[in-house]
Amino acid sequence: MLNDDVRERIRLAALRYPDSRAALLPALHIAQAELGHLPDEAMRFIAEELNVPESDVYGTATFYSLIRRRPSGKHVISICHNLPCTLLGAEPLIDHLRTRLGVEEGEVTADGRFSYQRIECIGRCDGAPAMLVDDDCHGDLTPEKIDAVLERYP
């Protein structure tokens, strides 16, 4: 499941910390970057490699909203629905995204390009409403801006 390069990167991440538990979040990100999400097998490997209980790995993976447990689209849209974004129109934008993509939250578009999720906060209150596409932040959203942003991701 995890190729040798990814396994080595996780091992090296663990060496950077005096307590291997501190490498848990970096290890989750490394595995997710490779697989697109975190299946049980990957979490078991991380638990073994870092010598932490599987329950700690699972608890960490399910706590953070940017860690995905299910397969996602090639590009993951994380749209903020925290108070500032909601006050400035996030809910109608989420409805627009649902209609535009033709899928519900957490599902993958038929072409495999996109999936989306609500996220509690991305720290862009100054550009609310805002969303991430993969690691790219887009703010001051309108339905038209969302459509234009989506066209940039093949």
Side-chain angles (χ1 to χ4, degrees):
M1 163 162 295
L2 293 173
N3 66 41
D4 290 340
D5 177 58
V6 173
R7 290 171 181 261
E8 183 61 20
R9 288 175 38 219
I10 291 171
R11 287 183 188 109
L12 291 173
L15 293 174
R16 292 180 21 212
Y17 301 94
D19 180 351
S20 64
R21 181 181 304 272
L24 182 51
L25 200 52
L28 293 172
H29 281 289
I30 291 167
Q32 179 174 276
E34 176 68 20
L35 301 171
H37 70 291
L38 284 171
D40 291 341
E41 288 177 54
M43 291 199 300
R44 275 192 292 279
F45 171 79
I46 290 169
E48 290 171 14
E49 187 60 37
L50 300 182
N51 197 29
V52 298
E54 284 184 41
S55 60
D56 286 4
V57 177
Y58 181 81
T60 302
T62 56
F63 177 79
Y64 290 101
S65 58
L66 292 176
I67 301 292
R68 295 179 300 280
R69 295 275 297 125
R70 299 184 334 195
S72 56
K74 178 180 178 186
H75 303 289
V76 177
I77 301 163
S78 300
I79 188 159
C80 182
H81 72 116
N82 208 338
L83 185 59
C85 285
T86 295
L87 289 174
L88 292 169
E91 291 305 319
L93 293 174
I94 293 169
D95 290 340
H96 174 76
L97 195 56
R98 178 184 305 108
T99 302
R100 169 79 197 280
L101 298 177
V103 296
E104 295 297 321
E105 182 177 356
E107 296 178 344
V108 180
T109 57
D111 62 4
R113 279 177 62 203
F114 295 107
S115 58
Y116 74 94
Q117 63 184 357
R118 292 169 185 255
I119 192 167
E120 194 56 38
C121 183
I122 60 173
R124 272 301 311 274
C125 296
D126 64 318
M131 70 181 186
L132 297 171
V133 179
D134 303 327
D135 293 326
D136 303 328
C137 190
H138 305 277
D140 300 311
L141 296 174
T142 64
E144 297 77 22
K145 283 185 180 180
I146 287 175
D147 292 344
V149 166
L150 297 182
E151 292 304 317
R152 292 187 237 158
Y153 295 87

